[in-house]
Amino acid sequence: MQQRLSPMPPSMIGAARARQGTCGVLMGLMIGTAVVFGGTAALAAERLVPIVTTPKPSLQMEARKPAAASLGALSSDRLTGLVLPGVSSGDLSALSQSSDANSLREGARLLWGELGLEGDGGDTTEHAPSQSVAFPTISGVPEVSTGSAALALTRFTSLSGPVATGAIESASDGDDAIYLEKGAATIDGLVEARTPGIIRAQSGVILTRPLVIWPGASLQLSEGEALYLSREDGAYLLAFGEMSVDGATIASTTSHNPRVSHFAPFVAVAGQGVFRSNHARFVGLGAVSDRDAGQADSMSGLSISAGLLYRPDQTSRILNSRFDDVHLVAVSGVQDTVVSGNDFAGQYAGGLKVEDSPRALVSGNRMTTPGLYAAMHLRNLSEAHIERNTIASAKGKGILIDGFSRSLTIDGNVVASAAGAGIELRGTTCSELTSNLVLASGGNGIELSRTGDVEARRNVALFNGAAGVAMSDQLPGSKLALASNLIGRNREGVRGAGLSDLTLKGNRLPNQMPRLLGGELGLNQSPWLAARKENQSFNFSNGTRQAASTACEGI
């Protein structure tokens, strides 16, 4: 049975601080609906079970409100009126309204089989970490000193990008930070060395000062350990060296900062820093009650940003971990990064952002009621794979891919009840969108705008508040292809405007009458129906039907 600990009053931090180096201080933490477990090995296995956090009913309704409003008075009928051979209408309705990502993914897996689609809709919930190189790579006796937090922040902003750090500096009582300058350190080792600003408590270790890991140094948190960052004292972690969190917990305390009310502890990695987590848990990082008063992205949860001049020798990976009430997980400029098998949930859950990271793998992540503009924002990616992620009740868009992204594989993702578009590609080219399931979005199910060559095959878009698939402002000379997609019971079937070259073949539109096609594409509904009746492809090119072409040859 999981142990539930009561919230810790701020006064207990002071009591623990007075007893530095001793045990016996009970500290509990609770943020939103997420519970922080103790640091004992006996509880480690319970901490690592699949996430079961369920949002409050009011938050679920808030997340669905835009989608229901766009469906209008027929929303109830739309969710039950779709007829598909071998599929229960009630099951489809329940799946569209799944309140958490785990049940949504399981329902999608069953639906995949019932629809007879390629693939099983399974989930990549476990991604094995690479064993080719031991990590951390740094060894030796750790060297610890006290240094300036402001100096470390200046170094951080020079590597990750200019952001205002005045509020971060003001949140701490003084400028002292713990400097880990060389060697390999553990949390237990820092406690045993009586490092100022690190306090032992019964359920883990409290950090009351900023901790900076410099190049040539590493910090390792191991199975069952718990590190609590004191919000009251303005604590946070900056890493320019190596950091490993394997089966451990990093959490914010629930106390408020008396100097900067919206301060929230965070973990930030920059420059040559390398971060790896596996079966870890992160709680309350970057989370504030006033979401508009939060910190910059690079200081608002967990962030990893590689410098242009000082790129790390190894890649960072975030695997099989849980993020409860974490405002944002952001990865920028990291080649070959892997973000796989993670859970995102909680009252203040934000989302995931990956940008400028060639050959990234973003797979098997599950997100429940993420609250940012886009639950998953992917920008300026190349040769990346976005596969089998599950997003339930996003308060904005589900998956947004923008910037200049190319050569992407977007496969097997499931998005239900997003307030905005389910999956949106903006400015993306030479990419494949296959076997994705989008249900009951408030906007378009799948949206393609200003795209180059894109091929969308075997996707399912049902019950969406606007078009099942919408395309606009296609780049001149590029090709779009929609083949073997299932598009039903949306406000419109397929909508197109500003198209250059589009090929339609083998798409099914059950219960989509009378709005099969919309926009300028709707003017060609009769010739499209004629080609469809003959089981032929239909090519739309500036209003003229031509021989069908293959989109994105060579992908």
Side-chain angles (χ1 to χ4, degrees):
M1 180 179 297
Q2 295 178 345
Q3 178 181 353
R4 185 174 292 269
L5 303 179
S6 59
M8 178 186 64
S11 60
M12 290 192 67
I13 297 181
R17 191 180 294 113
R19 300 175 185 176
Q20 182 169 347
T22 64
C23 298
V25 180
L26 177 63
M27 183 182 72
L29 295 159
M30 181 180 294
I31 298 181
T33 57
V35 179
V36 181
F37 297 99
T40 62
L43 292 175
E46 295 183 9
R47 264 205 337 274
L48 302 179
V49 298
I51 194 167
V52 295
T53 303
T54 303
K56 296 178 180 179
S58 60
L59 291 174
Q60 296 175 27
M61 293 303 295
E62 177 186 348
R64 293 207 186 90
K65 206 174 293 181
S70 63
L71 289 172
L74 294 177
S75 60
S76 201
D77 292 337
R78 285 182 186 275
L79 293 176
T80 57
L82 182 61
V83 178
L84 297 175
V87 180
S88 164
S89 178
D91 290 345
L92 280 174
S93 177
L95 182 61
S96 301
Q97 300 178 76
S98 296
S99 60
D100 72 274
N102 287 314
S103 63
L104 174 59
R105 170 56 68 174
E106 176 60 21
R109 186 185 66 79
L110 297 175
L111 178 62
W112 241 265
E114 291 173 342
L115 293 176
L117 298 175
E118 290 187 24
D120 60 2
D123 193 1
T124 53
T125 55
E126 182 77 14
H127 191 287
S130 172
Q131 301 298 327
S132 58
V133 178
F135 188 84
T137 63
I138 295 169
S139 60
V141 178
E143 296 184 13
V144 181
S145 65
T146 298
S148 167
L151 177 63
L153 287 171
T154 300
R155 171 70 171 169
F156 176 76
T157 57
S158 71
L159 294 171
S160 64
V163 295
T165 61
I168 305 297
E169 296 176 35
S170 299
S172 300
D173 186 11
D175 188 42
D176 287 344
I178 303 168
Y179 276 15
L180 180 54
E181 299 188 52
K182 292 181 181 179
T186 64
I187 287 297
D188 279 345
L190 293 176
V191 172
E192 291 171 3
R194 298 183 180 276
T195 306
I198 299 181
I199 303 169
R200 171 80 70 186
Q202 182 173 338
S203 57
V205 174
I206 310 169
L207 180 66
T208 62
R209 292 183 183 179
L211 172 58
V212 183
I213 306 165
W214 290 103
S218 69
L219 176 66
Q220 185 169 12
L221 281 74
S222 300
E223 179 75 30
E225 293 183 329
L227 176 62
Y228 301 121
L229 310 183
S230 174
R231 186 188 299 256
E232 177 185 2
D233 294 291
Y236 53 85
L237 283 169
L238 286 183
F240 307 105
E242 296 181 349
M243 184 174 176
S244 171
V245 187
D246 192 351
T249 294
I250 297 179
S252 165
T253 65
T254 57
S255 55
H256 294 285
N257 190 285
R259 291 165 293 277
V260 180
S261 60
H262 62 263
F263 170 80
F266 59 91
V267 177
V269 182
Q272 293 177 296
V274 180
F275 178 90
R276 292 189 180 178
S277 70
N278 188 33
H279 289 298
R281 191 176 188 195
F282 303 88
V283 182
L285 303 180
V288 291
S289 57
D290 182 356
R291 301 301 295 274
D292 295 329
Q295 294 146 197
D297 285 357
S298 58
M299 300 176 177
S300 193
L302 169 62
S303 71
I304 308 169
S305 52
L308 295 175
L309 299 178
Y310 303 99
R311 289 192 179 276
D313 295 331
Q314 297 193 64
T315 189
S316 293
R317 297 189 177 98
I318 305 172
L319 307 178
N320 313 313
S321 298
R322 293 174 58 172
F323 295 87
D324 293 330
D325 291 316
V326 173
H327 178 69
L328 178 68
V329 176
V331 180
S332 177
V334 182
Q335 298 182 12
D336 301 297
T337 190
V338 180
V339 182
S340 180
N342 303 290
D343 285 294
F344 299 76
Q347 182 176 352
Y348 300 115
L352 171 66
K353 185 176 183 179
V354 181
E355 60 182 343
D356 301 312
S357 298
R359 300 177 300 279
L361 172 63
V362 181
S363 69
N365 300 290
R366 296 165 298 278
M367 312 179 81
T368 300
T369 61
L372 296 183
Y373 172 70
M376 191 172 288
H377 189 180
L378 311 170
R379 183 174 177 81
N380 295 330
L381 300 185
S382 61
E383 301 178 53
H385 290 256
I386 301 94
E387 302 173 341
R388 299 187 178 187
N389 301 287
T390 307
I391 302 172
S393 297
K395 298 174 186 176
K397 299 176 186 290
I399 299 175
L400 171 62
I401 303 174
D402 64 0
F404 184 70
S405 295
R406 61 179 296 114
S407 302
L408 307 183
T409 299
I410 306 148
D411 179 76
N413 301 286
V414 178
V415 181
S417 288
I423 299 177
E424 179 178 348
L425 276 60
R426 189 188 303 164
T428 302
T429 189
C430 208
S431 297
E432 291 184 310
L433 187 70
T434 57
S435 300
N436 299 283
L437 173 61
V438 183
L439 303 169
S441 297
N444 297 308
I446 297 172
E447 185 171 333
L448 310 174
S449 62
R450 301 194 297 276
T451 58
D453 290 357
V454 172
E455 185 171 1
R457 304 189 312 274
R458 303 188 307 274
N459 300 288
V460 179
L462 308 174
F463 310 125
N464 296 290
V469 178
M471 301 160 290
S472 62
D473 301 324
Q474 183 183 358
L475 296 180
S478 61
K479 298 177 181 179
L480 285 174
L482 268 63
S484 303
N485 299 287
L486 176 62
I487 304 166
R489 205 62 173 170
N490 307 285
R491 184 168 290 276
E492 287 183 312
V494 180
R495 182 176 184 82
L499 300 178
S500 174
D501 189 307
L502 168 68
T503 298
L504 302 173
K505 182 178 181 180
N507 299 290
R508 292 184 288 164
L509 284 81
N511 295 92
Q512 195 55 69
M513 290 290 287
R515 297 181 177 179
L516 297 172
L517 304 183
E520 66 184 43
L521 190 59
L523 301 176
N524 292 268
Q525 182 162 305
S526 294
W528 168 71
L529 286 171
R532 185 167 177 260
K533 184 176 181 181
E534 298 298 326
N535 199 28
Q536 296 179 355
S537 59
F538 174 79
N539 181 266
F540 176 88
S541 180
N542 295 325
T544 303
R545 184 180 176 185
Q546 302 173 348
S549 61
T550 302
C552 241
E553 292 181 359
I555 291 183

